[in-house]
Every structure is written in structure tokens, then in C-alpha cells.
Amino acid sequence: MIFKSTLIIFATNTIAHFLNYLYHFIAGRFLSPDQFGLLESFVALNYLLAVVISAFSLSIIHQLSLTKKSHQPTLINQLQTFSLKLTLVVWSITLLFFPLLKRLLHFNNPYLLFLFSLQILFSFTPTLYLSFLQAKLKFTKYSLVNLLSPLVKTLSSLILFFLGFKVSGALTGLFLASLIPAIFSYQLVKPHLPKHQQKPPLPLPPSFFKFGLTAFIVNLSLTSLYTSDVLLVRFFISHQSGLYAAASVLSKIIFFVSASVLTVTFPVFTLQTNNLNKLKTSFKNAFFLISIIAFLGVIVYQTYPHLVIKLFSSSEYTLATTLLPGFSLFIFFFTLFNLSTQLLLILNKRLAILTTLIPAIFQVILIFLFHQNLFQVITNSIITTLFGLTLSLIFILKLLYI
């Protein structure tokens, strides 16, 4: 099941990730290194927003697996109401954090933050629809929606760049990339939505919030591992943040290609919770597949860093070639760490929190203490991620095999 579904996801994700990196490539061509560093800092904030979205998504998939098919329309109705409330809360909090973000990212234009925040209004309800498709293993429809988002983002940003817009053009692309797929995803799941709205809607079961809190902490910790470094480099070494951001973006190609497997694994792990033999097999297959994909990426980045920069960036970022070998190693460990964490979420929620939260805190502390140059920052990330991966695998071996 994992291999077949992964092929579907991989085919569309390959195109989607090409479009995503085309977006960054085009931005690198039209923006100065300082402007590009600011944009990538906003993108890093977007990853933090994705923490809440991902936790919401995992909770939906988990709750659907616990709910009888006849009761699922009622659950969807409850989740729609909750997603609207969550949207308003997260959007308001983002705007309230403007003074802190202005100081952290070194920008003064409040319009940029407002423009960035608009995508939040069209994030959570579509996440519900996509999670429904993912939980039902409807990976073809799921992939089409995910393909639409980078297509809209890249095309709209390119047009706005030609019209003379800079960072604001790139942020507008992010907003449109949430709005249009939101409309499309609604049309895909509309036949499955409850036909009559319940008044008042029933409260969500406690299990949804319990798992959601765990998923939030775990995803926040994981996302912190590959976003905190970008934000802290912008704060401590702002004059080199563009180079660091470029190396970070290019190295994440390894993770996002491997993510085609990660998209499939969690719903599969959830369905196989009561069958340890199948769960072991699925984890072994996924670990093997991700290792091959990520390791091939590491070989390319270690051997041909100049070619990677030439293909995906401009000559202004040539100095970033020295950062790619270390960055690729960090992303290799991070990708495997994501997979092991998914399984721990199923096996033992407390251990999932422990193995992600400690490395995330450790990374921030190390970067605060040691940030004399960019190589130190990357080394800090490698050490903390490898520690988290090792810890998670020890716990998995203990839970499944001992």
C-alpha cells in the first residue's frame, strides 16, 4: 500500500516541488539578497503556521480512524465549526505579534505582515477537506489539490514581479495559493459533507483535542528544527541571511521529495495500529524508501554543490555552495526523524513529545551560544537532529521488538 500510494504522491509531488523551487528561484532572480532573506524569513514563519495546520490535519485523520463511518458526517460538521473558530484565533494572534516580528526580521512595513496573514483565512477549513481525502486514502484527489497550490503561487508571483512588485508580490502569491485550492478542495469533498447543518453543533470529542495537543507540540518541535536556524541567522548574522536562506531552500528539496512517502505513512500507520506485524513492515519499507531518496540527494549535494547552485539559483548566491554539503546531511537526518516521529505518535504520544521537544530546545540554545559563523549554525542543527533521530529509534526498537 505504501509503495503504490507513494508512486501517486511522488509523481504529483515531483511537479509540485519543482514549482515550489521555481518560485524560490524566480524570487532569487528578482529580489536582492537582503530582500530574498526577508522573504525566506516570512517563509520560515509560514512553516510555523504549518505547525498548527499539520497538528489539525493529523488530529482529523486520527479522529476519523476512531469514528464509525455512519457518524463521520456529524464529525465533519463539528470540525467545520471548529476550523472557523481556529482561523480567527490564529489570524488575530499573528497580527498581535507584529511588534516582535518587526524587530526579529528587521522590517518596518506593517502591510507586509498583513499581506502574509491573509493566507491564514483560507488554511484551516481546506485542511479539513484535504485530511478527509488523506484519511480515506484518496491520494489522487489529495495530490491534485496540493499540485494546484504551488502552480498558483509561482505563476501569480512571476506576474507580480514583472509588474514591479518585490516582496509584496511574493507574499501575494502565497495568499492566492491558499485561496484558490481552498475553493477547489471544497468542490472535491462537497458530496461527503453533511447535507443538513446541526443547530447547535455538537462539541468535538476529548480524544480529538488530546491528540491535537500532542501533534501540535511534536510538529512545533520538528518545524522549529528547520526554521529556527533561518530566523536566528536573520537576527544574529543578518548580512549573510540571504546566503543561508538560499542554502536552506535548496537543501530542503531533499526533504520535500522524501515527503511523498511521509504523506502516505501516517494514515497507513493509523489504520495498522492494531496489527503490529503490518505496522513493522510498513515502517521498515518507509524507512528504506526514504533512506534511499534522501541519501541520493546527499550524494548530489556533496559532490556537485556548484551545479546545484547554478541550476536553482543565481550567481549572487555562489558562496552558498560551501554550505550545501553540511545542510544536506542535516536534512537527511531530519527526514528520517520525521518518519520515526510519526510512528511514535501512534505507539506512545509522550515519547513522541520527548524525542522532538528536547532536540528543538537544544538547537535554539546551541545557536544562541554558538553563532560566530554559518558553519557553526549548521553543525548545531546536525548534532541536535541526529540526537533526536537516535533517541526515537531506540524507543521504537524497545516498543516494537523488545
Side-chain angles (χ1 to χ4, degrees):
M1 180 182 292
I2 286 180
F3 285 109
K4 181 180 178 181
S5 301
T6 296
L7 285 176
I8 297 173
I9 299 290
F10 182 79
T12 53
N13 272 13
T14 300
I15 302 172
H17 293 316
F18 171 76
L19 291 170
N20 270 321
Y21 281 91
L22 188 60
Y23 166 82
H24 293 284
F25 174 76
I26 292 170
R29 292 286 183 176
F30 280 89
L31 303 178
S32 68
D34 185 64
Q35 290 173 328
F36 185 70
L38 176 59
L39 173 61
E40 290 306 315
S41 296
F42 273 114
V43 171
L45 289 178
N46 213 29
Y47 292 140
L48 295 177
L49 169 63
V51 170
V52 185
I53 295 173
S54 179
F56 185 46
S57 174
L58 293 176
S59 301
I60 293 169
I61 295 170
H62 182 260
Q63 195 60 46
L64 283 169
S65 70
L66 300 177
T67 305
K68 293 180 180 179
K69 189 174 182 179
S70 58
H71 296 163
Q72 287 183 358
T74 301
L75 176 62
I76 293 173
N77 182 42
Q78 296 168 300
L79 289 167
Q80 284 189 113
T81 302
F82 178 74
S83 66
L84 292 174
K85 295 177 181 178
L86 189 59
T87 296
L88 293 176
V89 170
V90 174
W91 186 57
S92 300
I93 291 174
T94 303
L95 294 179
L96 288 173
F97 269 82
F98 171 69
L100 175 63
L101 295 175
K102 180 179 72 171
R103 183 179 177 185
L104 178 64
L105 304 184
H106 302 290
F107 75 99
N108 296 311
N109 190 349
Y111 167 71
L112 291 179
L113 180 63
F114 177 75
L115 190 57
F116 169 80
S117 73
L118 287 179
Q119 63 182 306
I120 298 173
L121 300 177
F122 302 96
S123 295
F124 290 100
T125 302
T127 297
L128 166 60
Y129 303 149
L130 283 173
S131 300
F132 178 83
L133 295 174
Q134 196 176 355
K136 295 298 179 183
L137 306 184
K138 304 292 184 182
F139 292 113
T140 301
K141 292 181 179 180
Y142 173 88
S143 299
L144 288 175
V145 178
N146 280 341
L147 182 60
L148 182 61
S149 179
L151 179 63
V152 171
K153 177 176 66 177
T154 303
L155 288 179
S156 59
S157 298
L158 179 61
I159 293 170
L160 290 168
F161 284 146
F162 273 118
L163 292 176
F165 294 92
K166 297 296 183 179
V167 176
S168 60
L171 294 178
T172 301
L174 291 176
F175 162 61
L176 294 176
S178 63
L179 173 61
I180 296 176
I183 298 171
F184 184 59
S185 62
Y186 171 75
Q187 296 300 322
L188 286 179
V189 301
K190 189 176 179 181
H192 304 283
L193 298 177
K195 302 191 183 300
H196 302 288
Q197 187 84 0
Q198 293 180 345
K199 298 182 180 180
L202 296 172
L204 285 166
S207 58
F208 174 82
F209 294 102
K210 185 178 180 180
F211 186 87
L213 179 60
T214 301
F216 173 77
I217 296 172
V218 168
N219 278 284
L220 178 62
S221 302
L222 286 173
T223 303
S224 176
L225 282 171
Y226 76 104
T227 56
S228 293
D229 59 332
V230 176
L231 294 172
L232 290 173
V233 165
R234 177 71 183 178
F235 182 74
F236 287 117
I237 324 175
S238 60
H239 65 286
Q240 291 185 301
S241 64
L243 290 176
Y244 192 87
S248 176
V249 167
L250 292 173
S251 299
K252 283 173 185 146
I253 293 176
I254 298 172
F255 172 68
F256 290 122
V257 172
S258 304
S260 57
V261 184
L262 295 172
T263 302
V264 175
T265 49
F266 187 74
V268 172
F269 290 163
T270 303
L271 291 174
Q272 295 175 344
T273 304
N274 297 321
N275 191 326
L276 285 183
N277 288 329
K278 285 187 176 181
L279 192 60
K280 290 178 184 178
T281 302
S282 294
F283 178 70
K284 287 178 183 177
N285 291 340
F287 195 90
F288 175 72
L289 189 56
I290 287 178
S291 296
I292 291 176
I293 295 172
F295 186 67
L296 288 174
V298 170
I299 290 176
V300 172
Y301 281 67
Q302 296 277 347
T303 310
Y304 306 107
H306 287 87
L307 179 61
V308 172
I309 290 290
K310 187 176 180 180
L311 288 175
F312 295 104
S313 191
S314 65
S315 57
E316 291 180 281
Y317 301 96
T318 302
L319 291 176
T321 54
T322 58
L323 305 176
L324 286 181
F327 244 122
S328 65
L329 194 60
F330 159 52
I331 295 298
F332 173 77
F333 293 137
F334 177 79
T335 305
L336 293 174
F337 189 26
N338 263 262
L339 176 66
S340 61
T341 301
Q342 281 191 355
L343 185 58
L344 277 180
L345 268 174
I346 302 297
L347 298 175
N348 190 308
K349 298 178 184 62
R350 289 183 180 178
L351 290 180
I353 293 175
L354 179 68
T355 56
T356 53
L357 187 58
I358 292 176
I361 295 173
F362 190 32
Q363 181 202 36
V364 172
I365 293 173
L366 283 179
I367 294 176
F368 261 98
L369 294 176
F370 308 103
H371 54 262
Q372 280 72 26
N373 56 64
L374 299 180
F375 295 101
Q376 275 193 344
V377 176
I378 297 173
T379 301
N380 294 335
S381 298
I382 292 173
I383 292 171
T384 51
T385 307
L386 181 58
F387 170 74
L389 172 61
T390 304
L391 194 62
S392 65
L393 290 177
I394 290 172
F395 286 136
I396 287 172
L397 288 172
K398 183 178 179 181
L399 291 168
L400 289 182
Y401 297 97
I402 299 177

